[in-house]
Amino acid sequence: MADVAHYLIDEHKELLPHIEELRIVADSVGDFPPRLLLRGVDKLYGFLINQLIPHAQAEEETLYPAVAKILGTPQAIATMSRDHAEVSYLTGQLRVVRSQIGNSGFDVDKAKELRRLLYGLYALLKLHFAKEEELYLPMLDVSLGEIEAHELFHKLAEISHGERSHLHH
């Protein structure tokens, strides 16, 4: 398996527990007091902003152009890029709802909206990771030469986690 595939699979393994947390917190909406709910949502929002979205940006800059080149068309990555745009949009919506938790305006409708956002992010991210691992990574393994894979790996690692790139190689 190419360096790129190993790197992304390892990266996904690190991100997946946080993605599972989206479902767990969504399940708790309405059961947890606002203080605990806010703590869980804050943790998830921090994960989305500080880890997941930078991961997606690194893919946009490195992985997806490589896949588009292999497939011969930039449209080949349009659905994956659209997933990233939707994650950013839903994260923005989560920021708004998050600011209302514990306030008098956080009513049953806002709780439903929060639950919808968390479940939506969970489902979208699980499917997105599956598409990358089942479709893109095998394609890269077959199509990239050793030097190309090595260069792509280093570029992806540098953009995504510059300080950690040496740990995965």
Side-chain angles (χ1 to χ4, degrees):
M1 189 178 287
D3 289 339
V4 176
H6 277 299
Y7 176 81
L8 284 170
I9 288 171
D10 286 349
E11 179 111 342
H12 286 178
K13 284 179 184 174
E14 289 178 24
L15 298 173
L16 279 171
H18 300 284
I19 292 168
E20 287 299 323
E21 195 71 21
L22 289 163
R23 182 189 52 76
I24 292 167
V25 173
D27 288 346
S28 75
V29 173
D31 293 337
F32 283 6
R35 180 180 48 78
L36 288 177
L37 181 61
L38 182 58
R39 185 180 311 154
V41 172
D42 280 346
K43 182 179 172 187
L44 289 171
Y45 182 76
F47 158 71
L48 292 165
I49 292 296
N50 298 314
Q51 289 179 266
L52 189 77
I53 290 175
H55 167 85
Q57 290 168 338
E59 289 178 342
E60 292 284 341
E61 293 178 33
T62 58
L63 180 67
Y64 294 176
V67 170
K69 182 178 176 185
I70 290 167
L71 294 176
T73 178
Q75 284 74 29
I77 59 163
T79 61
M80 299 300 278
S81 292
R82 182 63 186 96
D83 289 354
H84 288 165
E86 189 65 16
V87 167
S88 292
Y89 173 76
L90 292 174
T91 299
Q93 295 298 303
L94 181 62
R95 181 182 50 78
V96 172
V97 174
R98 169 181 159 250
S99 70
Q100 299 168 347
I101 296 172
N103 297 338
S104 60
F106 192 76
D107 56 11
V108 172
D109 290 334
K110 289 295 179 187
K112 286 179 185 177
E113 183 178 356
L114 175 60
R115 200 176 297 114
R116 178 189 57 78
L117 288 166
L118 295 171
Y119 284 137
L121 281 162
Y122 171 77
L124 176 61
L125 291 167
K126 292 285 282 192
L127 178 60
H128 183 82
F129 279 22
K131 290 187 293 187
E132 283 180 352
E133 292 180 10
E134 294 170 17
L135 303 172
Y136 283 11
L137 298 184
M139 182 187 327
L140 290 170
D141 273 348
V142 170
S143 301
L144 291 180
E146 188 175 330
I147 292 172
E148 290 173 306
H150 185 75
E151 288 174 355
L152 182 60
F153 161 77
H154 281 287
K155 190 175 176 184
L156 181 63
E158 182 180 314
I159 292 169
S160 186
H161 299 286
E163 73 285 354
R164 293 175 28 190
S165 66
H166 65 282
L167 298 176
H168 293 286
H169 186 62

